[in-house]
Amino acid sequence: MSSCGVCMKSIAGNKPKVTCSVCKTDVHAVCLKFSKADVDCITQDGMVWRCKNCAAERRKSMRFELEAGEGRLSLEDVMKVVTEIRDSQKQYEKSFNTVIEAVNLQLAENTDAVKAQSNECIKMSNLIEALTTENGQLKKKVKELETRLEDIEQYSRSNCIEMQGIPLEPAEDVLNIVKDVGRALDLDISDTMVDACHRLGVQKTGDKPPGIIVKFVRRMGKESFIQRRRVKTTLSTRHIGRKDDRSIYVNESLSPARRRIHALARRFQREKNCKFLWIRNGKIFMRKEDKAPVKIISSEEDLQRYL
């Protein structure tokens, strides 16, 4: 509860009062001889009211301004104004310096954060580069291992041939079929020459009979069989005592990967009109024309480079 600036008595909450706009001192309306209407007018209209002391100071200031306008300032008045300006300037400088220090501190924190992020980006970039290099090396190693595995798998088939075009019959003896084809090629195949022979899996599409794979005990047996087939170019099922007349094809046995490459090479040969395509010792060879250089086809990329 505040006190009246005139009578110094406490001002009850329901007593009309006015407040100085400068020093915020409360004064009874009765002490100023103000009616309630006067108080409401000052309060509601936001009028400026000054207490006695503040009003006197205001009049003094106005007189000072008036005298200054008339050129009648004393040295004391000038020094007072200078002091006020200096104090105000010091306060402003103090506030300004505080703001500048805060800005500098925030700027330093931001700079440190940017440097930390930059260092982290450099670390991540180096890590990505190292991982990219490692990934490239691993891909190269995997490719080398795949090539070695493919060579090993193909080497395991170095004594094998595949025969295509021979119809499947119930309860057939595959070894006897191999011997019949050998006799048709003027080649005597004994039981001791063949390590294993059997039909390949039935194809899911098409009506071609499944092929027969033959593994000879020695590579010489395979080479002799292939050589005799090259000599006799018209080998068919009638040469082995069958009633039909279907061509019999004899080729070296290829691993699944090289079989796929060979199929691509055959399609490439048809599309690009390449004249020669053959297999020897598990390798695929291609030549565009009679005097063109021979190219070994080991991958699909080799076919693309052979355009």
Side-chain angles (χ1 to χ4, degrees), residues 119-172:
N119 293 333
E120 191 67 22
C121 287
I122 293 174
K123 290 180 181 178
M124 292 299 102
S125 178
N126 293 336
L127 178 61
I128 290 173
E129 184 177 356
L131 290 175
T132 301
T133 302
E134 183 180 2
N135 186 50
Q137 293 173 348
L138 290 175
K139 284 184 176 180
K140 183 179 179 181
K141 184 174 294 186
V142 168
K143 183 66 175 177
E144 292 174 352
L145 292 175
E146 287 178 345
T147 301
R148 290 179 59 185
L149 182 61
E150 169 63 21
D151 291 339
I152 292 172
E153 185 174 0
Q154 184 58 50
Y155 184 78
S156 68
R157 296 169 179 261
S158 59
N159 292 0
C160 298
I161 64 167
E162 292 183 17
M163 296 188 295
Q164 303 288 344
I166 302 175
L168 179 64
E169 291 186 348
E172 65 182 6

Side-chain angles (χ1 to χ4, degrees), residues 227-258:
Q227 181 61 33
R228 295 302 301 172
R229 178 62 183 88
R230 293 194 185 104
V231 173
K232 191 168 186 176
T233 58
T234 59
L235 180 64
S236 67
T237 54
R238 64 183 177 84
H239 293 111
I240 61 174
R242 301 293 179 91
K243 294 181 180 180
D244 54 0
D245 189 11
R246 294 189 179 187
S247 296
I248 298 176
Y249 303 96
V250 179
N251 294 297
E252 294 185 27
S253 179
L254 297 178
S255 65
R258 295 198 184 183

Side-chain angles (χ1 to χ4, degrees), residues 52 56 65 84 110 139 142 151 169 195 225-226 254 286:
K52 183 178 179 180
E65 294 174 359
E84 291 177 354
N110 292 341
K139 284 184 176 180
V142 168
D151 291 339
E169 291 186 348
D195 182 31
F225 207 101
I226 294 291
L254 297 178
M286 177 176 283

Side-chain angles (χ1 to χ4, degrees), residues 1-36 38-40 42-43 49-55:
M1 182 179 295
S2 60
S3 301
C4 176
V6 175
C7 67
M8 304 306 292
K9 294 181 180 180
S10 298
I11 300 175
N14 57 354
K15 293 284 186 177
K17 66 177 181 177
V18 291
T19 303
C20 177
S21 300
V22 179
C23 67
K24 307 302 180 183
T25 300
D26 295 330
V27 180
H28 284 121
V30 175
C31 294
L32 298 173
K33 298 181 180 180
F34 284 178
S35 65
K36 187 177 184 302
D38 295 332
V39 174
D40 292 340
I42 293 172
T43 304
W49 178 82
R50 298 178 180 84
C51 64
K52 183 178 179 180
N53 294 333
C54 292

Side-chain angles (χ1 to χ4, degrees), residues 73-242:
L73 284 174
S74 65
L75 180 60
E76 181 181 357
D77 294 332
V78 173
M79 291 303 298
K80 184 177 180 180
V81 172
V82 171
T83 301
E84 291 177 354
I85 293 175
R86 184 184 62 190
D87 294 342
S88 177
Q89 182 67 23
K90 287 182 178 180
Q91 185 64 31
Y92 173 78
E93 289 179 356
K94 182 178 180 181
S95 300
F96 181 78
N97 290 335
T98 302
V99 173
I100 290 299
E101 289 177 0
V103 171
N104 289 336
L105 179 61
Q106 186 64 44
L107 183 61
E109 292 177 355
N110 292 341
T111 301
D112 293 339
V114 170
K115 288 181 178 179
Q117 292 294 330
S118 179
N119 293 333
E120 191 67 22
C121 287
I122 293 174
K123 290 180 181 178
M124 292 299 102
S125 178
N126 293 336
L127 178 61
I128 290 173
E129 184 177 356
L131 290 175
T132 301
T133 302
E134 183 180 2
N135 186 50
Q137 293 173 348
L138 290 175
K139 284 184 176 180
K140 183 179 179 181
K141 184 174 294 186
V142 168
K143 183 66 175 177
E144 292 174 352
L145 292 175
E146 287 178 345
T147 301
R148 290 179 59 185
L149 182 61
E150 169 63 21
D151 291 339
I152 292 172
E153 185 174 0
Q154 184 58 50
Y155 184 78
S156 68
R157 296 169 179 261
S158 59
N159 292 0
C160 298
I161 64 167
E162 292 183 17
M163 296 188 295
Q164 303 288 344
I166 302 175
L168 179 64
E169 291 186 348
E172 65 182 6
D173 188 333
V174 178
L175 180 57
N176 285 335
I177 295 175
V178 175
K179 291 179 179 181
D180 291 340
V181 175
R183 282 191 293 270
L185 297 175
D186 298 327
L187 185 65
D188 185 22
I189 304 296
S190 64
D191 293 349
T192 57
M193 292 176 61
V194 178
D195 182 31
C197 60
H198 59 84
R199 285 277 184 177
L200 296 172
V202 179
Q203 296 182 359
K204 296 181 180 180
T205 58
D207 56 353
K208 294 183 180 180
I212 296 174
I213 185 168
V214 183
K215 183 177 182 181
F216 289 90
V217 175
R218 300 178 62 186
R219 187 177 301 182
M220 185 182 299
K222 182 204 78 170
E223 295 293 344
S224 298
F225 207 101
I226 294 291
Q227 181 61 33
R228 295 302 301 172
R229 178 62 183 88
R230 293 194 185 104
V231 173
K232 191 168 186 176
T233 58
T234 59
L235 180 64
S236 67
T237 54
R238 64 183 177 84
H239 293 111
I240 61 174
R242 301 293 179 91

